[in-house]
Amino acid sequence: MTRHVPALVVGGGISGLVCAHALRKSGIDAQLVESSPRPGGVIHSITRDGYLLELGPQSFSSTPALRELCAELGISSELLQAPPRAPRYVLIDGKLQPVPLSPPAFFMSSLLDGSTKWAFVRDIFGKSIPPDDDESVAAFTRRKFSKQFLDRLVGPFVSGIYAGDPERLSLRSAFPQLYEGEQSAGSIVRGMMRLAKSKKGPRERPTLQTFRRGNETLVHALANKLGPALFTRTRVAAIARQDNGSLDVRLENQKGDESISTRSLILATPTDVAGMLLSQLDSSSQSPLSSIEYAAVAVVSLGYRKKDVGHSLNGFGFLVPRSASLRVLGSVWNSSLFPGRAPEGHALLTSFVGGTTDPSATKLKPAELASLVHREISAVLSTKNEPVFSNVTIWPRALPQYNLGHSDRLAAVAKSCSRFPGLWLTGNYLRGPAIGSCVDQALAVAEEVRAKLVPR
Ligand SMILES: Cc1cc2nc3c(=O)[nH]c(=O)nc-3n(C[C@H](O)[C@H](O)[C@H](O)COP(=O)(O)OP(=O)(O)OC[C@H]3O[C@@H](n4cnc5c(N)ncnc54)[C@H](O)[C@@H]3O)c2cc1C
């Protein structure tokens, strides 16, 4: 028998959870189906041997919508903020150098040479026009600033967010504010200042956050609110359009197959699944979603006795330029940022390996990854002994790449979706991969669905 639901959300990562929650809050009986046994997608916190680990994102930036959501879910008091002035480092010539975080620090820093600093002065007082063609992050950085700035700061920063390759990432898709800043103000610095001024509300320094019991607190709170409207171990296998305009959704769960009919279907899955489902509606073409590349990433958490680490570990962690010829992309010093991450007298350090510039790294065995990371970070942090704890998680499809042509691919997807009223997409490949961006995108989609189902 076919059950009818007013709105069905597919995929219980943060995007799907927030979308389903917002729909239900607005009075729509939305249901959420998630194929795996647990909701949360790549957000996964575990406790083992006294360590509190994040297997996916380590923390997130606070945004107005996230703050409001936490307040509404009653979990604001669980939030922890990383020390806002914790230094971040970049590995240059085998040494950790602090990343300049303010304009005076930037101009005083020995990290960058005079010609890079002069390029910033030129940007502030001059005028430039971005090219019409989609420009890569690397080409943009070389055109506006310098090769050194690309190698020492932009490249490592891009690894930290996308685990991506600046030669292939599209500036206008991956960092739209920089592109729009140059287009509207003729200067990156003036454009960014203009954007900051146009933001409503008090100025705030972006802070990194997590919860006392890990990022999954947000997932649990959303899942609890959804209650029986959340179905885990339930996979969407196929969708089809009915003559009356509804969408027929075939679910597979432990009980077998079930069919659901809905007038509002929100796909909050990664692009391989969304693309596969879309191509079932439009058999004439393969969805452009299928061609969005993902970076594979290994997340390696190591625990050390503090007395075995020569470095003070005072800071956020460090990023590694590709020219340093290490396989570690960067390391987060979890126990320096948040309390309760490691047993007394121990430190928890989480490193990332792989990304689009080193895809074969994630094919290594977990034990090989743990020893590779230990070897590489030991040289940087002067550790004396082997780690006393390790955990390795491999994400074969960790982060979508906003590569050259991304905006064209999304425009083609939007055009194809417009032929199927009642079908929406949300997820980390649309407006940015950060948790806050996924939340913003999911809320915007929920509002579009609400406006269609319950016009005011
Ligand atoms: C290693 C790593 C580090 C990161 N670091 C940070 C960070 O520091 N800060 C930050 O803000 N962000 C970070 N991110 C990014 C951020 O965590 C993700 O972009 C975001 O959580 C993705 O959420 P999502 O719901 O869009 O997708 P996902 O979490 O991928 O969820 C999609 C869900 O769909 C389900 N699904 C798939 N197919 C089906 C089907 N057929 N039927 C039903 N369900 C299905 C999946 O099981 C999954 O649960 C990181 C990500 C990774 C992987």
Side-chain angles (χ1 to χ4, degrees):
M1 206 179 72
T2 300
R3 209 155 48 89
H4 179 80
V5 299
L8 183 71
V9 181
V10 183
I14 193 67
S15 302
L17 287 165
V18 168
C19 188
H21 166 67
L23 287 169
R24 292 187 70 79
K25 208 178 97 185
S26 65
I28 295 163
D29 181 17
Q31 310 217 338
L32 171 62
V33 289
E34 162 57 45
S35 54
S36 71
R38 53 168 286 281
V42 300
I43 301 177
H44 196 172
S45 321
I46 62 164
T47 307
R48 185 155 72 76
D49 300 344
Y51 290 88
L52 170 50
L53 310 174
E54 297 293 349
L55 307 189
Q58 304 297 301
S59 57
F60 52 88
S61 285
S62 159
T63 63
L66 258 172
R67 262 198 306 281
E68 209 173 295
L69 184 64
C70 291
E72 189 189 311
L73 295 168
I75 53 174
S76 304
S77 61
E78 290 293 301
L79 279 166
L80 296 175
Q81 291 203 359
R85 298 194 189 282
R88 288 138 207 262
Y89 297 93
V90 62
L91 186 70
I92 305 292
D93 300 330
K95 294 213 172 59
L96 293 184
Q97 292 220 34
V99 173
L101 296 175
S102 67
F106 174 84
F107 283 103
M108 296 297 288
S109 169
S110 59
L111 194 64
L112 299 163
D113 59 18
S115 69
T116 304
K117 292 173 187 169
W118 177 241
F120 271 84
V121 176
R122 261 199 332 262
D123 174 74
I124 294 168
F125 295 106
K127 187 167 169 44
S128 61
I129 301 168
D132 291 338
D133 289 347
D134 206 1
E135 188 179 33
S136 73
V137 171
F140 159 81
T141 312
R142 283 189 294 261
R143 171 174 66 79
K144 283 290 298 175
F145 303 106
S146 72
K147 195 168 161 304
Q148 189 196 48
F149 188 48
L150 172 64
D151 175 53
R152 293 191 163 188
L153 283 181
V154 175
F157 181 69
V158 159
S159 288
I161 300 179
Y162 286 94
D165 180 354
E167 300 290 348
R168 290 195 288 148
L169 278 173
S170 153
L171 182 84
R172 72 179 67 171
S173 297
F175 299 101
Q177 293 171 347
L178 294 179
Y179 170 75
E180 281 151 24
E182 185 181 20
Q183 206 182 36
S184 64
S187 146
I188 306 301
V189 175
R190 291 200 304 273
M192 298 311 287
M193 282 166 52
R194 206 183 268 185
L195 182 77
K197 271 196 202 142
S198 70
K199 283 201 179 137
K200 291 186 202 119
R203 282 264 188 93
E204 43 181 311
R205 211 187 162 99
T207 49
L208 283 174
Q209 302 194 316
T210 185
F211 296 92
R212 214 168 299 282
R213 291 188 188 80
N215 293 333
E216 219 175 297
T217 296
L218 178 57
V219 169
H220 290 151
L222 285 162
N224 283 343
K225 274 271 176 198
L226 289 172
L230 165 64
F231 299 84
T232 52
R233 297 178 200 271
T234 304
R235 174 178 166 267
V236 168
I239 58 176
R241 205 167 122 95
Q242 292 168 343
D243 292 341
N244 66 4
S246 297
L247 290 155
D248 192 43
V249 181
R250 187 162 62 76
L251 305 179
E252 287 174 356
N253 54 30
Q254 285 160 317
K255 290 184 223 134
D257 282 8
E258 190 191 353
S259 193
I260 283 196
S261 141
T262 184
R263 287 201 168 262
S264 305
L265 178 67
I266 301 103
L267 301 181
T269 64
T271 53
D272 53 344
V273 176
M276 178 272 288
L277 294 173
L278 282 181
S279 63
Q280 294 173 354
L281 290 181
D282 181 4
S283 55
S284 64
S285 67
Q286 208 197 6
S287 168
L289 281 181
S290 316
S291 59
I292 293 179
E293 189 187 336
Y294 277 64
V297 173
V299 180
V300 181
S301 296
L302 299 180
Y304 291 91
R305 284 188 202 90
K306 271 189 186 158
K307 65 178 174 54
D308 289 345
V309 184
H311 194 277
S312 69
L313 299 181
N314 170 29
F316 182 86
F318 66 94
L319 290 167
V320 185
R322 293 302 75 215
S323 60
S325 300
L326 295 188
R327 296 189 90 172
V328 167
L329 299 170
S331 239
V332 174
W333 301 338
N334 310 79
S335 49
S336 302
L337 296 178
F338 303 114
R341 309 291 121 168
E344 193 57 37
H346 292 70
L348 177 67
L349 315 177
T350 299
S351 306
F352 304 90
V353 181
T356 55
T357 55
D358 186 11
S360 62
T362 54
K363 301 278 186 289
L364 295 171
K365 295 196 178 75
E368 291 171 325
L369 283 161
S371 74
L372 176 146
V373 168
H374 168 62
R375 204 171 50 245
E376 293 194 350
I377 68 170
S378 282
V380 178
L381 302 175
S382 316
T383 61
K384 276 204 298 257
N385 288 313
E386 292 289 309
V388 291
F389 172 89
S390 81
N391 191 82
V392 176
T393 307
I394 297 173
W395 298 100
R397 290 172 62 82
L399 287 152
Q401 298 300 296
Y402 290 43
N403 280 344
L404 293 170
H406 192 72
S407 54
D408 290 344
R409 281 189 281 279
L410 292 189
V413 174
K415 193 168 165 217
S416 150
C417 285
S418 66
R419 294 179 30 231
F420 306 105
L423 180 71
W424 281 271
L425 300 176
T426 189
N428 62 358
Y429 56 93
L430 291 162
R431 275 203 205 167
I435 291 174
S437 310
C438 292
V439 168
D440 288 346
Q441 164 75 13
L443 291 174
V445 167
E447 177 50 26
E448 281 179 33
V449 177
R450 188 214 55 77
K452 187 184 154 228
L453 293 184
V454 200
R456 283 204 170 117

